[in-house]
Amino acid sequence: MDVRLATPADASAIATIYNQGIEDRVGTFETRPRTPEDITRWFDGRHPVVVVLNDEEIIAFASTSSYRDRECYQGIAEFSIYVERDWRGQGAGRLALQALLREAEQAGFWKVLSRIFVENAASRHLVRSAGFREVGVYEHHGQLDGIWRDVVIVERLLNNAPQPSAEKA
């Protein structure tokens, strides 16, 4: 498996994988399938997107997006990882996450975070093994198919994170 930065030309393959995640109801509150045009908007020049390939086929992706509009949060990115159904559990998600963390750091982000359904044990294990901490749980964070779902908030400081000041007020 190889990993590289994604380009807008990858939008169709990324949409296919993301739509599997929407259909499977394991990783997102989203219910509307995405088009390649929807995915193309992710390429804003600020937020890295990476893809994992087996030979020339895209089998996974990881993306960053804006966390909040306020200036003080511009160094924080949200992230997502999706793996093609037939490739889940084979290391593609780990490769995507490792590459995304490097790219996010190079893009100047000091922290990445996400929300994961509490019952998504595979994703929670993946992020813990990559140095993320579980910050807490948002209860009844949203409804999916009429059922309230809780999510775990995860975060990881990157190597260029600001260090706490030595002086405390």
Side-chain angles (χ1 to χ4, degrees), residues 57-94:
E57 176 190 3
I58 295 174
I59 60 170
F61 75 89
S63 62
T64 56
S65 60
S66 177
Y67 168 64
R68 298 279 188 269
D69 289 336
R70 292 177 59 192
E71 186 65 32
C72 61
Y73 298 129
Q74 295 309 298
I76 302 171
E78 290 197 48
F79 76 95
S80 295
I81 305 165
Y82 288 86
V83 178
E84 202 277 339
R85 281 185 191 117
D86 294 338
W87 285 93
R88 292 177 188 164
Q90 298 182 47
R94 180 175 311 286

Side-chain angles (χ1 to χ4, degrees), residues 33-55:
R34 294 306 193 263
T35 66
E37 293 75 26
D38 292 328
I39 303 304
T40 300
R41 289 192 275 281
W42 296 359
F43 296 93
D44 62 4
R46 169 84 174 117
H47 296 92
V49 180
V50 299
V51 291
V52 178
L53 300 103
N54 181 54
D55 294 323

Side-chain angles (χ1 to χ4, degrees), residues 163-169:
Q163 297 301 307
S165 120
E167 296 179 26
K168 297 287 181 186

Side-chain angles (χ1 to χ4, degrees), residues 1 26 43 70 72 96 120 136 153 157 159:
M1 286 184 263
V26 295
F43 296 93
R70 292 177 59 192
C72 61
N120 189 338
I153 305 101
L157 296 176
N159 289 333

Side-chain angles (χ1 to χ4, degrees), residues 22-38:
I22 292 171
E23 292 167 8
D24 294 345
R25 301 296 202 257
V26 295
T28 181
F29 284 104
E30 299 294 341
T31 57
R32 179 182 63 80
R34 294 306 193 263
T35 66
E37 293 75 26
D38 292 328

Side-chain angles (χ1 to χ4, degrees), residues 46-47 64-67 72-79 100-101 104-105 107-114 132-133 135 153-162:
R46 169 84 174 117
H47 296 92
T64 56
S65 60
S66 177
Y67 168 64
C72 61
Y73 298 129
Q74 295 309 298
I76 302 171
E78 290 197 48
F79 76 95
L100 188 71
L101 293 173
E105 191 171 86
F109 293 104
W110 65 78
K111 178 164 62 171
V112 293
L113 55 83
S114 192
F132 284 79
R133 72 183 189 111
V135 178
I153 305 101
V154 298
E155 72 174 7
R156 178 175 158 179
L157 296 176
L158 301 176
N159 289 333
N160 57 355

